């Protein structure tokens, strides 16, 4: 049954795309959750929707807009977003929420004027991993590798800024700049995740696995690794389940994500009692 | 400031020993709001100095200015004979308590120390020994009591054996027993490290037997004096903006609101 599934070219591409995206989404999502900034990540996915729709309206393939706009917006959000519980945090949350709503509206308008928009809208919103073509796959892989290289380069400073923002500032680290840089990489991760599960469901890849990982480990690097493993397991299991049931892949990926999260909380509660 | 080499003297506020921190005619402001005007004082090396002031009086801003994070509108701030600027070595800081994101509370406390001091395993171990926190550091941050957590955050200020400790309200939110323990621990450590301590607090009672000098901000004026000078009714009223009363007995002095 499985060997039969693996013979399809589109299935091989889908499995590869899921691998690439899971590595990036798992790490970036973990860092977002660590800083309690998953809402900013969610907003970026809606901005990806606006970018993709605008690209379609211009007669381009959606991917450049889908990646480009959230990367730009990431820099802006990184500049206004504050660590949880800080002065200005609530106002920044409102600003980010309005940006999210406005992006969705802009996306809707662009699709309204673009032709053949109904199926395009569905695959943007809910993902179409089985429709990823070779060219898109290679672009996706290249973008993921570049973003991972950026993360590897800045990971020490980034962890310092996320976990101890006051100390980092006192050490002369340019906290705002580092965070804005990271949010640009988060824009890439969101766009990549949206290729798999769609902009509305990026939480399934960027929040569910890290939130589960966070309950299972006490060290950030282990946590990021567990998060990647869970994201990958979720995507591949989702592809298999979808192949067997013929339900949409995104449904299964989200379902497995929620299940893994609930399970991790139960296990984590046990670990705490020890 | 005059150097007096070879002369042994107890750490004392305003003494002629070389100062760890020196303010000369410093004005600090947030936007248009002036917090501190024309402040001049020197913190003697090795002294335990309490920093007091009402909410919003500028205690945190004053500490940030020592770190070079707030530029004075006027005057000069000198730390160990060099102008204050961010990233100076030899300064340990304990920032004001903040709300920790839930995910951070799931990390082992040691992860926070390692994030702030990458690749400094031995120095982190030494700092944990100072606060007797080796075992605590492996536990979840969220599973620790307020006092335990504060000890570990203190440890992270001690990595690299700093000569100046800036502690921003380390007693906030702690029960009285934990407050006494933390003050005693900090006093012991500053003697061990021969470090200068600037310790901000709302309640001066826990620091009364321990501090060598008091620095206080009231009505934009900063004063440094012996702790006894703080215990005058008019000074306390100005500091707290309420009638205060000093009660002494059984060899102790306590400050309470008068009512």
């Amino acid at each position: 049954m499985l060997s039969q599934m693996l013979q399809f070219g589109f299935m091989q591409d889908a499995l590869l795309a899921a691998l690439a995206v899971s590595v990036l989404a798992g790490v970036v999502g973990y860092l977002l959750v660590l800083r309690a900034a998953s809402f900013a990540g969610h907003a970026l996915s809606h901005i990806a929707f606006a970018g993709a729709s605008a690209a379609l309206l211009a007669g381009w393939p959606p991917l450049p807009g889908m990646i480009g706009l959230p990367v730009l917006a990431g820099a802006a959000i990184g500049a206004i977003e504050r660590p949880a519980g800080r002065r200005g945090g609530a106002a920044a949350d409102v600003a980010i929420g309005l940006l999210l709503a406005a992006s969705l509206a802009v996306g809707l308008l662009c699709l309204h004027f673009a032709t053949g928009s109904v199926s395009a809208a569905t695959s943007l919103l809910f993902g179409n991993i089985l429709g990823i073509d070779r060219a898109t796959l290679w672009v996706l892989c290249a973008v993921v590798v570049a973003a991972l290289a950026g993360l590897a380069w800045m990971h020490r400073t980034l962890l310092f800024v996320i976990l101890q923002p006051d100390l980092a500032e006192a050490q002369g680290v340019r906290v705002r700049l580092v965070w804005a840089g990271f949010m640009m990489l988060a824009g890439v991760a969101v766009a990549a995740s949206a290729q798999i599960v769609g902009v509305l469901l990026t939480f399934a890849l960027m929040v569910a696995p890290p939130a589960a990982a966070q309950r299972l480990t006490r060290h950030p690097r282990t946590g990021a690794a567990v998060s990647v493993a869970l994201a990958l397991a979720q995507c591949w299991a989702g592809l298999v389940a979808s192949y067997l049931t013929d339900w949409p892949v995104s449904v299964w990926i989200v379902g497995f994500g929620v299940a893994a999260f609930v399970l991790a909380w139960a296990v984590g509660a046990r670990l705490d009692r020890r | 400031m005059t150097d007096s080499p070879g002369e042994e003297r107890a750490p004392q506020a305003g003494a002629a020993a070389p100062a760890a921190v020196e303010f000369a005619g410093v004005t600090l402001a947030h936007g248009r709001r002036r917090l501190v005007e024309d402040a001049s004082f020197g913190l003697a090396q090795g002294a335990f100095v309490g920093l007091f002031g009402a909410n919003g009086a500028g205690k945190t801003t004053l500490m940030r200015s020592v770190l070079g994070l707030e530029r004075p509108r006027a005057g000069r701030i000198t730390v160990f004979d060099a102008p204050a600027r961010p990233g100076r070595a030899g300064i340990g800081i304990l920032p004001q308590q903040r709300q920790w994101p839930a995910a951070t509370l799931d990390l082992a406390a040691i992860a926070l120390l390692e994030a702030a001091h990458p690749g400094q395993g031995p120095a982190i171990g030494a700092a944990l020994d100072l606060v007797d926190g080796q075992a605590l550091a492996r536990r979840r941050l969220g599973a620790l009591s307020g006092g335990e957590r504060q000890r570990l955050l203190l440890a992270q200020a001690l990595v690299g054996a700093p000569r100046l400790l800036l502690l921003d309200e380390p007693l906030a939110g702690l029960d009285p027993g934990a407050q006494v323990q933390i003050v005693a621990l900090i006093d012991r450590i500053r003697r061990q490290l021969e470090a200068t301590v600037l310790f901000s607090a709302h309640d001066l009672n826990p620091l009364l037997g321990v501090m060598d000098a008091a620095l206080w901000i009231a009505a934009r004026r900063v004063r440094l004096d012996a702790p006894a000078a703080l215990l005058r009714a008019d000074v306390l009223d100005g500091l707290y903006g309420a009638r205060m009363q000093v009660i002494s007995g059984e060899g102790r002095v306590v400050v309470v609101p008068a009512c």
Side-chain angles (χ1 to χ4, degrees), chain A residues 1 19 26 31 44 48 58 61 76 91 93 104 123 147 156 175 181-182 187 211 232 242 244 250 252-253:
Chain A
M1 192 82 183
L19 172 64
L31 294 168
L44 283 178
D93 259 8
L104 215 47
S123 61
R156 278 194 166 187
V175 172
F182 169 69
L232 183 60
S242 163
L244 297 176
S250 299
W252 282 111
I253 294 178

Side-chain angles (χ1 to χ4, degrees), chain B residues 161-173:
Chain B
R163 289 185 295 155
L164 174 63
L165 286 172
L166 302 177
L167 312 175
D168 199 354
E169 303 213 17
L171 303 182

Side-chain angles (χ1 to χ4, degrees), chain A residues 209-236:
Chain A
Q214 165 222 321
R215 293 298 289 151
L216 299 174
T217 62
R218 290 174 191 178
H219 294 277
R221 285 180 179 80
T222 327
V226 172
S227 170
V228 167
L230 286 174
L232 183 60
Q234 223 171 283
C235 286
W236 281 3

Side-chain angles (χ1 to χ4, degrees), chain B residues 193-211:
Chain B
L193 299 181
E194 295 176 9
T196 309
V197 171
L198 185 61
F199 186 122
S200 77
H202 274 288
D203 183 6
L204 53 91
N205 291 313
L207 296 183
L208 274 178
V210 180
M211 58 182 166

Side-chain angles (χ1 to χ4, degrees), chain A residues 30 33-36 83-87 156 159-160 162-167 169-172 214-215 217-220 272, chain B residues 64 67 69 86-87 93 95 98-104 106-108 110-116 118-119 138-140 156:
Chain A
Y30 182 81
V33 166
L34 210 50
R35 155 93 173 218
R86 290 305 180 75
R87 196 178 301 173
R156 278 194 166 187
L159 260 185
F160 190 15
I162 289 175
L163 293 178
Q164 304 262 35
D166 301 296
L167 296 182
E169 192 190 9
Q171 291 293 318
Q214 165 222 321
R215 293 298 289 151
T217 62
R218 290 174 191 178
H219 294 277
D272 285 354
Chain B
R64 284 171 58 85
L67 290 166
L69 297 175
I93 68 169
R98 60 187 179 111
Q99 262 186 320
W100 297 91
T104 306
D106 275 330
L107 295 179
I110 185 105
L112 266 70
L113 275 77
E114 285 168 351
R138 322 265 152 214
R139 292 173 54 193
R140 270 181 67 228
Q156 75 94 32

Side-chain angles (χ1 to χ4, degrees), chain B residues 54-251:
Chain B
N55 281 330
K59 298 188 294 292
T60 299
T61 305
L62 192 146
M63 287 209 181
R64 284 171 58 85
S65 73
V66 174
L67 290 166
L69 297 175
E70 302 276 347
R71 281 279 187 79
R73 297 290 165 94
R76 268 182 316 112
I77 301 172
T78 313
V79 181
F80 299 129
D81 294 329
R85 61 174 167 74
R88 287 277 299 269
I91 306 179
I93 68 169
L94 177 63
Q96 212 167 41
Q97 285 244 10
R98 60 187 179 111
Q99 262 186 320
W100 297 91
T104 306
L105 289 174
D106 275 330
L107 295 179
I110 185 105
L112 266 70
L113 275 77
E114 285 168 351
H117 308 278
Q120 296 184 45
I124 291 175
L128 284 172
D129 285 336
L130 277 173
V131 302
D132 191 21
Q134 289 280 11
L136 290 179
R138 322 265 152 214
R139 292 173 54 193
R140 270 181 67 228
L141 200 61
L144 303 176
S145 74
E148 290 170 335
R149 197 180 299 175
Q150 206 59 304
R151 257 161 69 197
L152 287 169
L153 294 176
L154 178 65
Q156 75 94 32
L158 299 173
V159 176
R163 289 185 295 155
L164 174 63
L165 286 172
L166 302 177
L167 312 175
D168 199 354
E169 303 213 17
L171 303 182
L174 298 186
D175 60 47
Q179 291 193 6
V180 172
Q181 281 176 10
I182 290 284
V183 171
L185 179 66
I186 290 169
D187 190 38
R188 197 192 79 211
I189 289 168
R190 67 119 176 180
R191 287 169 200 282
Q192 253 172 287
L193 299 181
E194 295 176 9
T196 309
V197 171
L198 185 61
F199 186 122
S200 77
H202 274 288
D203 183 6
L204 53 91
N205 291 313
L207 296 183
L208 274 178
V210 180
M211 58 182 166
D212 303 309
L215 185 68
W216 69 91
I217 310 173
R220 297 197 292 278
R221 295 286 159 196
V222 180
R223 251 186 86 182
L224 177 72
D225 213 329
L230 194 54
L231 295 176
R232 283 179 21 212
D234 59 324
V235 173
L236 289 171
D237 292 358
L239 186 59
Y240 286 103
R243 299 278 308 142
M244 299 300 286
Q245 193 178 356
V246 180
I247 299 172
S248 54
E250 298 180 21

Side-chain angles (χ1 to χ4, degrees), chain A residues 117-222:
Chain A
S117 60
V118 177
S119 68
T122 311
S123 61
L124 283 180
L125 292 174
F126 298 105
N128 186 14
I129 185 176
L130 296 176
I132 289 180
D133 56 42
R134 268 291 149 88
T136 309
L137 177 63
W138 294 130
V139 173
L140 210 53
C141 288
V143 166
V144 164
V145 168
L148 285 174
L151 275 175
W153 175 64
M154 70 188 299
H155 78 281
R156 278 194 166 187
T157 315
L158 191 56
L159 260 185
F160 190 15
V161 163
I162 289 175
L163 293 178
Q164 304 262 35
D166 301 296
L167 296 182
E169 192 190 9
Q171 291 293 318
V173 175
R174 304 189 53 190
V175 172
R176 201 63 59 72
L177 195 68
V178 171
W179 187 247
F182 169 69
M183 286 303 283
M184 292 173 80
L185 296 180
V188 176
V190 159
S193 302
Q195 288 292 312
I196 310 288
V197 289
V199 296
L200 291 183
L201 301 175
T202 50
F203 249 47
L205 274 186
M206 296 196 54
V207 174
Q214 165 222 321
R215 293 298 289 151
L216 299 174
T217 62
R218 290 174 191 178
H219 294 277
R221 285 180 179 80
T222 327

